[in-house]
Amino acid sequence: MNKIMKTQFPPSTFPTMSLGAPANLIAASSNNNETTPPPPPADPSSVVAAIRSCSSHESSVRRPAEEQLQQWENAYSGRMLHATGYLTSLISIIERSDSVDENTNCRLLAAILLKNGIPKAFGVPLSEEEANSTNEERSLRQERAHVRNRLPALLFQEENVTCALHLQLALSNIALFDFPKEWPTLLEDLVSTAGATSGQSLVVRVRAIKTLRLCIQSIRHRKIIVPKGPAKRGANNNNPMLNMRNLGNLIGKAVHERKEVHARACSIFGALAEGIVNHAQTAIAGDGSGGGSCVVGSSEAHSAWRAESLLAVGYTKCMTELIPMIEIENTLADPRTPAVRRLMESLAQICEATRSYPTLLVPPALANIPSVVQEYTMKMDKTYRAALVCCISSIRTLPQLFAPQVSRILPAVVDPILTSDTSVLQSMPVKRLIYMTGLVRTVLTCAMYDETRNDSLMAGKKNAVLSMLMAGGSSRSSGNADGDGSAKDDPGVIEARTTVTALLAEGTIERLVEALVGKFLRLHSEELQEWEDDPEGRYETDLAEKMPLTEADGVSPRHCGGALLSTLMSRETDRVARSLLELTQRVYQQLPPEDANGMLSREACYRALELCRAAMVGGGQRRLNFSEWFQGELLPILMRTDLGENSHVAMRAMQARAVQVVQAYCTSLKPDEFGVAFQSIARLMAVPDLVTAFCSARCVSQLALLHVKGTEESVQLVSVREHSVLALGNTFALANRSESEECLRVVLMCVSALVEVNGLYLEPVLQAIAEQLPSLWERARDSVPIHSCLLSGECAAHLPVCRVKEFIFH
């Protein structure tokens, strides 16, 4: 297997500060080797001189030095192995301990270059048998061994934090290529350093656990490629994908190698689990005595407790990366099952001990430390978040083993959402809310915890195609669909299903929907103040909140609250839709229409309906009569042009939300409703409130292009052209009011859409349009997006080139 399997890693995924082009691990062709001269020797003095020249302000000095460094780096992937020694020189530069600023910067840049150069040097395939290696390959092997030998010592001795970070990344890059074959004890060495209670400083231990996490990440995301083998007579070797006979064999070998790597990495599971328990207990208890070596309440004990908190979080994050590599196919027979179950029970206990926010009882060991309450709350919040993420990873990878903890952790996470005041939720860190709602979403989307799902859907992540290829035609692997055939009868799974069913029971799901709308989606006081002080910033934030609702992209409580609401809607569509409509009707009927609080509550309900548009009017079933809603509530709001800067911000927010609702449901507008909607929203681009105006510009842009279908002249298209002059006038006026580049781009995209949809119909006003161009071009400066908007619409499509030059460049 090892003779045909090689590992490569996409260089673009490395966080680099490259001095040149991205790393290319593919060997250069023989033609390039013939034409490219070999680089000069990469001795330490030459490398130092090049690094220092890179800091020059003179391009004539800096560019040749950058090219020289890039040439040394590319020598590895270019198979010019006779020019090796570049990484060795970088190591020797980093080893210098001079405290001069110039040397410090030189060492930092050397660490960055080392991190960037490792993928090329370690990604070069060498002969499997060292006896068959050339002299150049032996030299490269020795250089790699030297880097592996010196890098850990340099990392743990480094005092510069930034330099240490790049050394950590360099070490994780080596793990990608050399674990486990060339460096089988890498992970164990790091765990041993992190767990050393004597002989190692706390800084070194924390740095070791952070490095371990980076290494596990690299190993887990390793990509395996199969190079083309030797040509065979009669075989089509020009396109390896055409030779499908060996596909099952190749996939089987790739999967087998992946399992071997994962199994070797999981050898540190026991040490990580023990570290999580020990350090979390110490951090929660506030014990910083260091086993009795420090006086309780002293500065040394305080520092030791901080380190214990960092280690608790670090160990938990490492376990989060490791859990997806734990492959347990039979929970009854696998000897690792009891240890994994104990870990998950410990995670649930940590969540229970740290879930209180914002008030936590400070342990007596820390009571004498000034201002420790806020610090303790922050440390416990990080511990709680790390444990939640580890639980999410466990549910996704090993749902059956985590099932007994669902009844403990799910109510503990949902309860603050239901019972906490809005002010308390708003004071929570955004990441905490993201992970809380993320855990609930993960539980709700887990097939094993859904009693309405068919048992055959609980097969986890088994791939039937791969199983068939690897098992010689069998559509199922050797294991059962649910791991050991007992998932449906597992008491923990049954209890987890009962817990999820209780969450979705009548009365509870309605409370959860109301909490999400009233506490997460509702505008709070800081956002209303931003609306007044920085309307363009408020609009850009609102744009960011419309991005895909994923945990990684969460930018606000509203983002994660909307994501959870969407998950509930997809799980219990009819009930959630009914609850949402009833809540909206209740808010509309019970709260005074001109009351600010009522307006904000209605705005939140409208936002929820906007988020759930697909469930409300899609899928062949209309749960919402949009025409009735538009005529009865939305249109009167859109018709108001009297809301000035002195009007309450809640009323202006309500109008902006009505515009965005129409944009979301625009395909549900009837022909006679479309014209009045377009005209009303086009007028709103001229209102004093900038957020409403920008929302209107974005909506007009979408409405204008919605019914452009070939040469068909629809009623909606005629309505757009009828009101386009009004819309264009208001759009250019809004462009003159815009200050930020993003807002100006939104406005000009509206101009482009209006010009595109009208074509020659705008010929009488082309002169007026063209007169607006010079000032906008001047304001754009070097902004490529703004120039593109100006040229893509009116200029490029409908004005002659001479007119463009006349109005823009003059």
Side-chain angles (χ1 to χ4, degrees):
M1 177 188 65
N2 291 332
K3 292 184 178 181
I4 67 170
M5 303 300 296
K6 302 294 180 184
T7 57
Q8 286 190 355
F9 190 86
S12 60
T13 60
F14 288 107
T16 63
M17 295 176 61
S18 178
L19 295 176
N24 180 13
L25 301 187
I26 302 176
S29 65
S30 58
N31 294 333
N32 291 338
N33 288 338
E34 293 175 0
T35 59
T36 303
D43 56 90
S45 59
S46 300
V47 176
V48 168
I51 289 176
R52 289 176 176 170
S53 298
C54 286
S55 302
S56 174
H57 296 288
E58 299 293 334
S59 60
S60 59
V61 177
R62 184 180 65 255
R63 289 187 180 277
E66 292 176 348
E67 293 174 358
Q68 180 63 80
L69 291 171
Q70 192 68 55
Q71 189 179 16
W72 280 325
E73 183 179 310
N74 292 336
Y76 294 101
S77 58
R79 302 294 300 180
M80 291 181 281
L81 303 184
H82 56 278
T84 56
Y86 175 57
L87 297 188
T88 303
S89 297
L90 292 175
I91 288 289
S92 65
I93 295 171
I94 299 172
E95 287 177 332
R96 299 180 179 182
S97 58
D98 299 344
S99 59
V100 182
D101 290 342
E102 181 182 1
N103 291 334
T104 301
N105 295 333
C106 186
R107 293 176 61 252
L108 174 58
L109 187 52
I112 296 173
L113 293 171
L114 177 67
K115 174 198 66 178
N116 295 348
I118 283 175
K120 293 188 176 181
F122 283 73
V124 176
L126 301 178
S127 302
E128 294 293 335
E129 300 295 335
E130 189 171 354
N132 299 329
S133 302
T134 63
N135 292 333
E136 290 80 5
E137 289 182 335
R138 292 191 186 96
S139 298
L140 182 56
R141 289 183 191 274
Q142 293 174 0
E143 186 172 22
R144 290 178 178 178
H146 177 70
V147 174
R148 288 194 301 266
N149 182 53
R150 293 298 306 145
L151 190 54
L154 292 176
L155 170 61
F156 298 132
Q157 294 170 3
E158 182 58 51
E159 297 180 357
N160 186 288
V161 177
T162 306
C163 186
L165 172 61
H166 290 285
L167 293 178
Q168 287 176 304
L169 294 172
L171 191 59
S172 68
N173 290 352
I174 294 178
L176 178 71
F177 297 99
D178 282 8
F179 179 86
K181 184 176 180 181
E182 300 294 337
W183 202 347
T185 62
L186 170 61
L187 302 185
E188 286 90 342
D189 294 342
L190 291 173
V191 169
S192 177
T193 302
T197 57
S198 61
Q200 296 290 358
S201 67
L202 293 174
V203 174
V204 169
R205 296 174 62 192
V206 172
R207 187 173 293 176
I209 202 65
K210 290 182 178 180
T211 307
L212 177 62
R213 182 194 177 196
L214 293 174
C215 290
I216 298 175
Q217 281 181 331
S218 293
I219 295 169
R220 186 162 72 90
H221 295 103
R222 171 180 294 178
K223 306 242 182 342
I224 300 177
I225 68 166
V226 182
K228 184 168 63 174
K232 295 182 180 180
R233 180 178 300 178
N236 188 343
N237 290 281
N238 294 327
N239 188 351
M241 293 304 297
L242 295 180
N243 187 5
M244 303 295 289
R245 293 182 178 179
N246 294 327
L247 182 59
N249 185 36
L250 294 176
I251 291 177
K253 290 181 178 180
V255 172
H256 180 69
E257 179 177 325
R258 175 176 171 271
K259 286 188 174 182
E260 284 186 342
V261 172
H262 286 187
R264 188 69 182 86
C266 289
S267 63
I268 64 172
F269 175 85
L272 286 183
E274 184 180 356
I276 290 174
V277 174
N278 293 339
H279 294 295
Q281 287 179 347
T282 304
I284 294 171
D287 184 9
S289 61
S293 59
C294 302
V295 179
V296 175
S298 64
S299 58
E300 293 82 2
H302 189 193
S303 300
W305 169 74
R306 288 175 174 172
E308 289 292 332
S309 301
L310 291 174
L311 288 170
V313 174
Y315 271 88
T316 308
K317 289 182 176 180
C318 288
M319 184 61 76
T320 301
E321 300 294 338
L322 188 67
I323 282 177
M325 293 192 281
I326 302 175
E327 301 177 7
I328 297 180
E329 296 183 356
N330 191 317
T331 56
L332 295 179
D334 198 303
R336 298 172 295 175
T337 297
V340 175
R341 288 189 185 275
R342 288 194 298 270
L343 167 69
M344 295 178 179
E345 183 178 1
S346 299
L347 291 174
Q349 292 174 351
I350 293 172
C351 289
E352 289 178 343
T354 57
R355 71 186 183 96
S356 298
Y357 192 91
T359 56
L360 279 171
L361 183 62
V362 177
L366 300 175
N368 296 331
I369 300 176
S371 306
V372 75
V373 176
Q374 183 177 0
E375 183 181 7
Y376 184 78
T377 301
M378 181 184 68
K379 296 292 186 185
M380 294 303 101
D381 172 65
K382 291 184 177 181
T383 304
Y384 178 72
R385 281 156 32 195
L388 280 183
V389 177
C390 197
C391 290
I392 292 173
S393 179
S394 302
I395 296 170
R396 290 172 176 168
T397 309
L398 303 168
Q400 184 177 351
L401 296 182
F402 190 85
Q405 312 308 323
V406 172
S407 60
R408 299 175 59 183
I409 195 169
L410 183 62
V413 172
V414 174
D415 183 67
I417 298 176
L418 294 175
T419 61
S420 297
D421 295 334
T422 304
S423 58
V424 174
L425 286 175
Q426 293 295 340
S427 67
M428 289 184 180
V430 175
K431 286 186 177 181
R432 184 184 182 99
L433 295 175
I434 290 173
Y435 298 145
M436 288 171 59
T437 55
L439 185 133
V440 180
R441 292 168 55 203
T442 305
V443 171
L444 290 177
T445 55
C446 180
M448 189 172 289
Y449 303 157
D450 186 356
E451 61 182 9
T452 64
R453 297 281 190 98
N454 191 317
D455 291 336
S456 62
L457 296 178
M458 300 193 306
K461 298 183 179 179
K462 300 283 185 182
N463 190 307
V465 177
L466 294 182
S467 300
M468 180 178 64
L469 289 171
M470 295 169 57
S474 174
S475 62
R476 295 184 61 161
S477 60
S478 58
N480 294 304
D482 56 358
D484 56 10
S486 61
K488 61 182 179 181
D489 300 323
D490 190 314
V493 174
I494 296 175
E495 187 178 7
R497 289 180 170 188
T498 303
T499 304
V500 174
T501 302
L503 174 65
L504 301 176
E506 185 176 356
T508 305
I509 195 170
E510 288 78 10
R511 289 178 59 207
L512 185 56
V513 169
E514 185 173 351
L516 291 175
V517 174
K519 300 176 183 179
F520 285 80
L521 302 187
R522 196 175 191 267
L523 289 168
H524 53 83
S525 57
E526 289 81 4
E527 292 173 320
L528 296 177
Q529 190 61 44
E530 182 188 20
W531 197 299
E532 297 277 20
D533 299 338
D534 183 17
E536 294 192 29
R538 177 63 244 163
Y539 174 73
E540 292 178 5
T541 302
D542 193 73
L543 272 183
E545 292 171 351
K546 291 181 179 296
M547 299 299 288
L549 298 173
T550 61
E551 294 172 20
D553 298 327
V555 295
S556 70
R558 184 170 301 105
H559 215 124
C560 51
L564 179 53
L565 180 62
S566 299
T567 301
L568 285 170
M569 180 66 80
S570 62
R571 175 70 185 265
E572 296 286 340
T573 306
D574 291 331
R575 295 175 57 202
V576 174
R578 184 171 61 253
S579 300
L580 197 52
L581 291 174
E582 291 175 354
L583 175 63
T584 304
Q585 185 178 11
R586 187 165 65 250
V587 168
Y588 180 75
Q589 293 176 348
Q590 294 180 358
L591 297 177
E594 298 297 327
D595 177 65
N597 185 57
M599 282 286 184
L600 292 177
S601 298
R602 283 179 64 191
E603 193 272 343
C605 292
Y606 286 8
R607 185 189 292 268
L609 292 172
E610 178 188 346
L611 286 172
C612 301
R613 181 202 63 82
M616 289 296 180
V617 297
Q621 183 176 0
R622 293 190 174 270
R623 299 176 176 86
L624 169 67
N625 188 334
F626 180 74
S627 179
E628 180 180 329
W629 185 25
F630 176 77
Q631 295 287 349
E633 297 185 35
L634 298 177
L635 186 57
I637 299 174
L638 297 176
M639 296 289 288
R640 295 193 61 176
T641 57
D642 59 334
L643 297 180
E645 295 180 351
N646 295 328
S647 301
H648 198 284
V649 65
M651 298 180 182
R652 289 179 272 146
M654 187 68 226
Q655 190 171 58
R657 181 55 51 197
V659 171
Q660 295 178 77
V661 167
V662 171
Q663 180 181 345
Y665 287 84
C666 58
T667 56
S668 300
L669 287 168
K670 295 180 179 179
D672 58 327
E673 298 169 344
F674 184 90
V676 66
F678 184 87
Q679 181 182 16
S680 302
I681 296 174
R683 287 176 176 170
L684 291 179
M685 287 192 288
V687 297
D689 186 79
L690 280 176
V691 179
T692 303
F694 291 131
C695 291
S696 301
R698 196 160 181 260
C699 181
V700 166
S701 177
Q702 181 169 331
L703 293 177
L705 299 175
L706 183 62
H707 294 281
V708 177
K709 300 177 181 178
T711 58
E712 180 182 353
E713 294 287 335
S714 63
V715 176
Q716 294 91 337
L717 192 58
V718 172
S719 299
V720 170
R721 290 171 177 169
E722 181 182 352
H723 303 292
S724 287
V725 174
L726 167 67
L728 278 170
N730 289 341
T731 305
F732 279 117
L734 180 59
N736 294 327
R737 297 162 59 193
S738 305
E739 295 182 0
S740 73
E741 179 178 328
E742 178 61 26
C743 291
L744 182 59
R745 186 190 65 83
V746 169
V747 176
L748 294 182
M749 287 295 292
C750 181
V751 174
S752 179
L754 290 170
V755 173
E756 179 181 347
V757 76
N758 281 275
L760 296 177
Y761 290 92
L762 284 179
E763 187 173 356
V765 294
L766 280 181
Q767 177 71 22
I769 294 175
E771 290 175 354
Q772 301 291 329
L773 301 181
S775 60
L776 292 175
W777 191 275
E778 180 77 16
R779 288 180 56 195
R781 295 186 179 90
D782 297 329
S783 174
V784 175
I786 303 303
H787 288 167
S788 299
C789 291
L790 289 170
L791 294 174
S792 64
E794 62 271 29
C795 302
H798 301 289
L799 289 180
V801 175
C802 60
R803 299 291 299 279
V804 174
K805 292 181 178 179
E806 176 185 354
F807 285 105
I808 292 181
F809 297 105
H810 286 191

